């Protein structure tokens, strides 16, 4: 039985571009608000940055370029100790050294929305972020992958936590900050780490997000850079390709 959550992807040139890159497909879902995600992760309002109420909204169709809730570790607080903070960030890494887009154009969020975890140290961009401690965690309700079928057709599936108590999947990610030298405006953006798929979903795609094992696993990634070796059990079902539903 097909699920009621439709996904609008068939006519998106950007979605096709993401699939052609051979990486994890560029679609996630987030049912919770920024504040609800922070509450579940134990981040109080006094550790919010940015404008979450106006820049983040629940959606079943989150793609690169969209802004989502992100957790990161910093000493920015008044206490000066390492703490977990939250801020809206754009999905799709824009390096801090990127040039300012020409008038009427935008940053290319589809260029680096994923990062292969196995080769981070070999990448000039991602190794720099690792060295700077720019690790973050992206909570999602689930993500979409496309199963290749006969005659070149693809069927989308929605993948989500198997546990009924698992409200979110926590994805390991890296972030950077780009500053507009003319206006002083700052853009926070991130790339989700990917890995080879666990055997239970290897039939669906050759990559999957690096999923952290609960809050403890997420904290280990933020503070120590440990991705962990545990497996987060998943469920999935096919979804429609027609329509586009936001909560």
């Amino acid at each position: 039985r097909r699920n009621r959550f439709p996904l609008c992807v068939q006519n998106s040139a950007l979605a096709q571009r993401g699939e052609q890159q051979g990486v994890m497909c560029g679609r996630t879902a987030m049912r919770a608000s920024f504040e609800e995600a922070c509450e579940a992760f134990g981040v109080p309002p006094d550790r919010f940055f940015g404008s979450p109420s106006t820049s983040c909204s629940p959606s079943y169709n989150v793609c690169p370029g969209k802004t989502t809730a992100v957790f990161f570790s910093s000493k920015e607080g008044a206490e000066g100790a390492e703490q977990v903070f939250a801020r809206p960030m754009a999905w799709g890494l824009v390096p801090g050294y990127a040039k300012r887009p020409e008038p009427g154009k935008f940053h290319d969020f589809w260029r680096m929305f994923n990062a292969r975890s196995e080769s981070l140290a070999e990448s000039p961009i991602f190794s720099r972020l690792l060295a700077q401690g720019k690790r973050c965690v992206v909570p999602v309700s689930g993500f979409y992958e496309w199963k290749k079928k006969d005659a070149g057709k693809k069927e989308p599936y929605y993948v989500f936590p198997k546990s009924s108590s698992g409200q979110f999947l926590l994805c390991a990610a890296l972030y950077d900050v780009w500053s507009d030298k003319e206006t002083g405006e700052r853009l926070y953006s991130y790339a989700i780490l990917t890995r080879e798929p666990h055997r239970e979903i290897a039939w669906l795609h050759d990559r999957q997000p690096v999923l952290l094992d609960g809050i403890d696993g997420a904290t280990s990634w933020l503070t120590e850079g440990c991705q962990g070796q545990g497996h987060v059990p998943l469920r999935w079902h096919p979804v429609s390709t027609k329509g586009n539903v936001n909560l």
Side-chain angles (χ1 to χ4, degrees):
R1 182 174 61 87
R2 288 186 179 275
N3 188 266
R4 63 185 176 89
F5 308 142
L7 180 66
C8 182
V9 297
Q10 285 185 324
N11 296 323
S12 170
L14 292 178
Q16 293 173 5
R17 177 178 167 186
E19 290 178 10
Q20 291 168 357
Q21 291 177 344
V23 296
M24 177 193 118
C25 201
R27 286 291 190 276
T28 65
M30 185 54 165
R31 302 184 185 190
S33 67
F34 183 98
E35 291 78 7
E36 289 170 337
C38 290
E39 181 179 0
F41 203 78
V43 179
D46 62 354
R47 285 191 242 149
F48 293 1
F49 285 90
S51 303
S53 60
T54 58
S55 57
C56 295
S57 59
S59 174
Y60 284 115
N61 194 2
V62 180
C63 65
K66 292 288 185 69
T67 302
T68 71
V70 176
F71 305 123
F72 65 101
S73 183
S74 175
K75 295 182 180 179
E76 296 183 43
E79 299 179 8
E82 196 82 11
Q83 293 179 302
V84 176
F85 294 82
R87 74 157 54 247
M89 296 190 190
W91 183 15
L93 189 79
V94 176
Y97 56 79
K99 294 181 179 181
R100 190 173 191 265
E102 296 178 3
K105 295 187 178 181
F106 303 93
H107 288 292
D108 186 357
F109 294 102
W110 283 84
R111 186 176 182 183
M112 286 184 285
F113 60 91
N114 289 154
R116 296 178 69 92
S117 60
E118 302 92 336
S119 57
L120 293 176
E122 302 167 13
S123 164
I125 295 174
F126 297 123
S127 62
R128 173 179 61 84
L129 300 181
L130 282 175
Q132 294 175 350
K134 290 184 176 178
R135 298 181 295 271
C136 61
V137 174
V138 181
V140 301
S141 297
F143 62 94
Y144 299 95
E145 288 298 356
W146 275 250
K147 173 64 176 175
K148 293 182 180 179
K149 302 181 71 175
D150 296 335
K153 294 183 179 180
K154 296 181 180 180
E155 182 176 25
Y157 281 77
Y158 180 58
V159 184
F160 56 102
K162 188 173 185 178
S163 171
S164 58
S165 61
Q167 185 177 6
F168 305 113
L169 294 174
L170 300 175
C171 304
L174 293 171
Y175 76 94
D176 206 353
V177 187
W178 178 85
S179 297
D180 189 324
K181 295 180 179 179
E182 295 184 14
T183 65
E185 179 183 1
R186 287 188 168 189
L187 170 64
Y188 288 77
S189 61
Y190 66 88
I192 293 177
L193 271 57
T194 67
R195 47 160 283 187
E196 291 186 355
H198 186 270
R199 59 180 178 273
E200 73 174 355
I201 62 168
W203 62 273
L204 179 58
H205 200 277
D206 60 2
R207 303 294 293 175
Q208 73 163 72
V210 172
L211 300 176
L212 303 166
D213 191 5
I215 293 180
D216 289 343
T219 301
S220 293
W221 166 245
L222 291 177
T223 59
E224 304 170 18
C226 178
Q227 297 180 25
Q229 300 298 321
H231 168 58
V232 178
L234 301 169
R235 291 191 292 169
W236 53 85
H237 52 62
V239 294
S240 171
T241 58
K242 297 180 180 180
N244 181 7
V245 170
N246 289 328
L247 288 175

